Amino acid sequence: MKRTILALIILTVLIAAGCSLADRPTTAPAAPGEAGSEAAPVESAGLSADAAAIAQERGLSPDDITAALKVYQPTGVHDEYMIFASGGHSGQVLVIGVPSMRLLKVIGVFTPEPWQGWGYGVGNRVLDEGAINGRTIRWADTHHPALSETEGDYDGEWLFINDKANARVAVIDLRDFETKQLLKNPVVINDHGGTFVTPNTEYVIEGGQYAAPLGWEYDTLDNYNDTYRGAVTFWKFDREAGRIDPEQSFLIELPPYWQDLCDSGKQVSEGWIFCNSLNAERATGGVEKGNPPFEAGASQGETDYMHLINLNKAEAVFQNGGTTDVNGFAVISLQTAIDEGILYMTPEPKSPHGVDITPNGQYMVVAGKLDPHVTIYSFEKMLETIEAEKWTTDDYGVPVLALEDLREAQVELGLGPLHTQFDDQGYAYTSLFLDSAVARWSLGGEYADLHPEEPWQLVGKTSVHYNIGHLLAAEGDTVSPDGKYLVAMNKWAIDRFAPVGPLLPQNFQLLDIDNTGENMQLLYDMPIGIGEPHYAQMIKADKLEPWEVYPEVGWDPHEQALSPNAVQLGEEKVERNGSEVEVFMTAVRSHFTPEHVEIEQGDHVVWHITNVEQALDATHGFSIPGYDINLSLEPGEAATFEFDAEAPGVFSYYCTEFCSALHLEMTGYLLVKPSGPTAMTTE
Ligand code: CUK
Ligand code: CUA
């Protein structure tokens, strides 16, 4: 509210100062003091006509000025919202403040992150959980982050994200913004429709993508229809443990359509899961053999299938032992899913992408990439149709409910609709990839009274730059969206920023949606130069309660408990047991204790360091040259790393965070004495 008043004051000032607001300013602003009685508000607000002069000099339009006023955060003022964005190919998660669009952190997830010491001595254990067939994988194609929910609302406690390339899922603890677990899906080799959570985060959903034989088995493409399969995985999240429990998780085998994106039912539809798909044609490619290329083969049909999954029934089948075992993982077979009434499908028009459930849980919204409409399905009609057992079946015997029986509405929006989010005023927002626009449209049913327009109508479009993929509104996929802000996640910035070579950054554009009607003002462009983020979520910042320091000195962030290897001040030592050396070290401004560590070539070294400080900013780093060791020791943190001292020499370890005026002196010598006769003699 303060902000709005400030905006009004500045605009008043600009007008008073003679700045033409109809077009780019051309008239000179009045000199301070010359404007007579009109100058009073300027002085009383402590503002000068300088603002008008700056606006004129920079050629800023009135819209530019209001946009600037809406996003500017004076120093020390925190953002109202936080975005957790996929870092795309970087394999990381980006944390961004809204409305300032300032990058606050890059959380190391699937990829080493040196500043956080993620994967350089500490964190390797977690990163190695994501190994596949014994091979370490150090990148990921992160697509969809999911904040944990309580009763369908973000609770600010946990974050999950998937790796499309390798079918992996990560768990991040929002107490310290650190990754705690990586899981490789033992049944499928890639994924896409993840992660999404059920309304109380009982399950983390990981939908499939490109069909393949389950369990990473081999078979020829000639057998595609018989042995290739789609899938959706339900990972059971144990909040207490802060981990996904694979033993309590299961997967449902699906026909070899390419399951794309999923969303969890909520409110009335809680207990159901919806996944769209894109290759009901079951095209297998092979353009070099004279077959239709994938993009043609997979788009031949007029419709693909939305999968309607009864999660409650699936869970019951799993708990009653009705699963088979694939690579040690519980799988509900396709036949069981059909027999037990777990799986139904319904057609969705032309190369669908994304399925989004309205906040009340009553409607499923599906966009067709090659269809200018979004199709809105009624959950109630779905239940009635299932109840009436009114269906045909697909080639695998899955019941297919007619689109006409489930359809609530279709809204023509424009070219290339992809993803949809919601606000608190009864509007939905859909990204239009080909149009490079965000469409606002009116919801019907119980939302019809919230806005002045007819239900199920296109209300307005705002151009974005360029080729938008996902979009996100403030808490826009929860049971109670906030409206206010929307971010367009554009694939290519093209001409929006100074050129940086042929690889273009992406462009997050912030839109003001805090109004009704056509107008959605574009506020800010934020380049993303670290990968191609797909999806992000925006949470009210005050829902997050991250720790400022670790709760106690000697804290192991991985276990979120006191470390048995914590080192207290005065207990520093180096212990030898055969060729195994154990170092117990403390870090405090501005020294490590001990400052000399003398070992022998060939020793196996286990090194414990505790940062014994509890002050807010007392982070130390710890690096050993030549051994690829770099830690970040946040206040209270205890860390342990190991290495084999293969190379003899003198290695200066030092603190890599500028922690005090004597930070450069925060160092020590690791002396690795050569084994056997030394060649260093000169006499
Ligand atoms: S997908 Cu990328 S724009 Cu992976 Cu959610 Cu639609
Ligand atoms: Cu500790 Cu620099």
Side-chain angles (χ1 to χ4, degrees), residues 362-397:
Q362 285 174 0
Y363 306 107
M364 298 87 88
V365 178
V366 174
K369 299 187 295 268
L370 303 180
D371 181 79
H373 299 87
V374 283
T375 303
I376 297 102
Y377 299 78
S378 156
F379 177 73
E380 201 183 307
K381 290 180 185 173
M382 181 200 89
L383 287 185
E384 285 164 10
T385 309
I386 291 172
E387 180 72 20
E389 300 189 17
K390 188 174 173 220
W391 58 64
T392 55
T393 53
D394 78 341
D395 288 352
Y396 295 89

Side-chain angles (χ1 to χ4, degrees), residues 482-668:
D482 288 5
K484 294 193 177 181
Y485 298 111
L486 181 142
V487 172
M489 303 175 75
N490 305 308
K491 297 298 182 189
W492 298 295
I494 316 264
D495 57 2
R496 294 294 101 172
F497 306 108
V500 288
L503 180 60
L504 303 173
Q506 284 76 34
N507 186 9
F508 281 10
Q509 285 185 309
L510 181 68
L511 271 67
D512 179 357
I513 57 166
D514 196 12
N515 56 14
T516 56
E518 275 183 57
N519 178 43
M520 292 175 277
Q521 190 188 3
L522 182 56
L523 301 179
Y524 194 81
D525 285 21
M526 179 196 190
I528 303 290
I530 187 177
E532 184 205 328
H534 285 255
Y535 185 47
Q537 291 183 326
M538 194 192 308
I539 180 176
K540 193 90 193 313
D542 61 16
K543 286 186 176 179
L544 297 162
E545 290 178 1
W547 288 334
E548 296 188 334
V549 299
Y550 281 111
E552 288 178 67
V553 167
W555 197 260
D556 174 357
H558 185 67
E559 301 299 338
Q560 297 291 40
L562 268 183
S563 168
N565 296 314
V567 187
Q568 304 297 338
L569 277 179
E571 291 177 2
E572 303 89 348
K573 61 189 173 193
V574 178
E575 276 182 352
R576 172 173 290 279
N577 186 355
S579 63
E580 174 133 344
V581 176
E582 208 164 356
V583 180
F584 298 85
M585 177 176 267
T586 58
V588 68
R589 275 168 293 186
S590 301
H591 57 266
F592 294 112
T593 308
E595 291 186 334
H596 298 167
V597 175
E598 294 171 66
I599 61 172
E600 285 173 27
Q601 182 180 10
D603 283 342
H604 180 73
V605 185
V606 180
W607 198 308
H608 313 288
I609 312 184
T610 299
N611 177 351
V612 297
E613 298 199 64
Q614 289 260 271
L616 178 56
D617 59 348
T619 292
H620 301 286
F622 178 83
S623 71
I624 304 179
Y627 280 101
D628 204 25
I629 299 295
N630 183 45
L631 316 181
S632 172
L633 300 161
E634 286 102 64
E637 179 167 352
T640 294
F641 63 93
E642 301 184 27
F643 65 97
D644 291 315
E646 300 122 350
V650 175
F651 303 89
S652 308
Y653 51 82
Y654 74 96
C655 171
T656 54
E657 283 274 334
F658 207 108
C659 55
S660 74
L662 297 175
H663 147 80
L664 292 179
E665 289 80 356
M666 192 165 172
T667 185

Side-chain angles (χ1 to χ4, degrees), residues 143-144 164 192 261 353 418-419 469-470 491 532 534-535:
H143 273 236
H144 307 103
K164 165 170 166 156
H192 188 237
L261 278 155
H353 188 53
L418 297 183
H419 300 288
H470 275 273
K491 297 298 182 189
E532 184 205 328
H534 285 255
Y535 185 47

Side-chain angles (χ1 to χ4, degrees), residues 220-530:
T220 148
L221 281 160
D222 296 335
N223 295 330
Y224 185 89
N225 289 336
D226 297 330
T227 61
Y228 283 54
R229 287 294 178 263
V232 58
T233 304
F234 295 93
W235 294 104
K236 180 80 179 158
F237 183 58
D238 180 344
R239 237 183 236 261
E240 201 61 28
R243 298 286 191 275
I244 283 171
D245 182 356
E247 299 291 314
Q248 295 301 316
S249 306
F250 60 91
L251 174 146
I252 303 176
E253 178 189 8
L254 298 173
Y257 314 135
W258 292 351
Q259 289 77 35
D260 190 27
L261 278 155
C262 301
D263 199 3
S264 173
K266 52 187 82 145
Q267 315 257 39
V268 289
S269 54
E270 183 168 350
W272 285 78
I273 306 297
F274 308 92
C275 302
N276 78 292
S277 64
L278 67 142
N279 184 14
E281 295 85 349
R282 285 171 281 158
T284 55
V287 65
E288 68 287 351
K289 295 173 184 155
N291 298 334
F294 269 122
E295 76 270 27
S299 318
Q300 269 163 5
E302 282 309 306
T303 55
D304 291 288
Y305 291 119
M306 174 160 51
H307 298 53
L308 316 163
I309 296 166
N310 188 325
L311 177 56
N312 292 338
K313 283 194 176 174
E315 189 178 37
V317 165
F318 166 71
Q319 277 162 0
N320 295 331
T323 56
T324 54
D325 183 284
V326 177
N327 270 348
F329 201 78
V331 172
I332 297 176
S333 72
L334 178 55
Q335 196 56 52
T336 303
I338 296 166
D339 294 345
E340 298 293 328
I342 294 169
L343 178 64
Y344 302 88
M345 297 194 295
T346 189
E348 36 183 23
K350 208 65 195 175
S351 295
H353 188 53
V355 47
D356 297 287
I357 313 305
T358 53
N360 62 9
Q362 285 174 0
Y363 306 107
M364 298 87 88
V365 178
V366 174
K369 299 187 295 268
L370 303 180
D371 181 79
H373 299 87
V374 283
T375 303
I376 297 102
Y377 299 78
S378 156
F379 177 73
E380 201 183 307
K381 290 180 185 173
M382 181 200 89
L383 287 185
E384 285 164 10
T385 309
I386 291 172
E387 180 72 20
E389 300 189 17
K390 188 174 173 220
W391 58 64
T392 55
T393 53
D394 78 341
D395 288 352
Y396 295 89
V398 180
V400 177
L401 317 181
L403 169 56
E404 302 71 52
D405 290 338
L406 272 56
R407 180 172 48 208
E408 183 72 23
Q410 274 179 311
V411 186
E412 184 169 344
L413 299 179
L415 298 181
L418 297 183
H419 300 288
T420 298
Q421 293 259 305
F422 306 94
D423 72 6
D424 57 338
Q425 304 182 87
Y427 292 122
Y429 300 82
T430 299
S431 52
L432 302 175
F433 178 81
L434 297 174
D435 270 355
S436 286
V438 173
R440 170 187 263 176
W441 52 279
S442 56
L443 294 167
E446 67 183 36
Y447 297 105
D449 296 339
L450 294 179
H451 51 70
E453 290 86 5
E454 293 289 303
W456 314 123
Q457 297 288 320
L458 174 65
V459 172
K461 277 198 222 183
T462 293
S463 293
V464 292
H465 313 87
Y466 298 89
N467 297 88
I468 178 173
H470 275 273
L471 39 59
L472 61 141
E475 311 217 346
D477 67 353
T478 70
V479 296
S480 63
D482 288 5
K484 294 193 177 181
Y485 298 111
L486 181 142
V487 172
M489 303 175 75
N490 305 308
K491 297 298 182 189
W492 298 295
I494 316 264
D495 57 2
R496 294 294 101 172
F497 306 108
V500 288
L503 180 60
L504 303 173
Q506 284 76 34
N507 186 9
F508 281 10
Q509 285 185 309
L510 181 68
L511 271 67
D512 179 357
I513 57 166
D514 196 12
N515 56 14
T516 56
E518 275 183 57
N519 178 43
M520 292 175 277
Q521 190 188 3
L522 182 56
L523 301 179
Y524 194 81
D525 285 21
M526 179 196 190
I528 303 290
I530 187 177

Side-chain angles (χ1 to χ4, degrees), residues 82-85 92-97 102-108 113 115-116 176-178 634:
M82 303 261 269
I83 291 176
F84 289 88
Q92 317 292 44
V93 163
L94 313 179
V95 187
I96 298 162
R102 294 177 293 201
L103 177 65
L104 302 174
K105 200 170 210 177
V106 177
I107 305 174
E113 204 292 315
W115 168 55
Q116 289 153 57
D176 59 356
F177 284 48
E178 199 179 276
E634 286 102 64

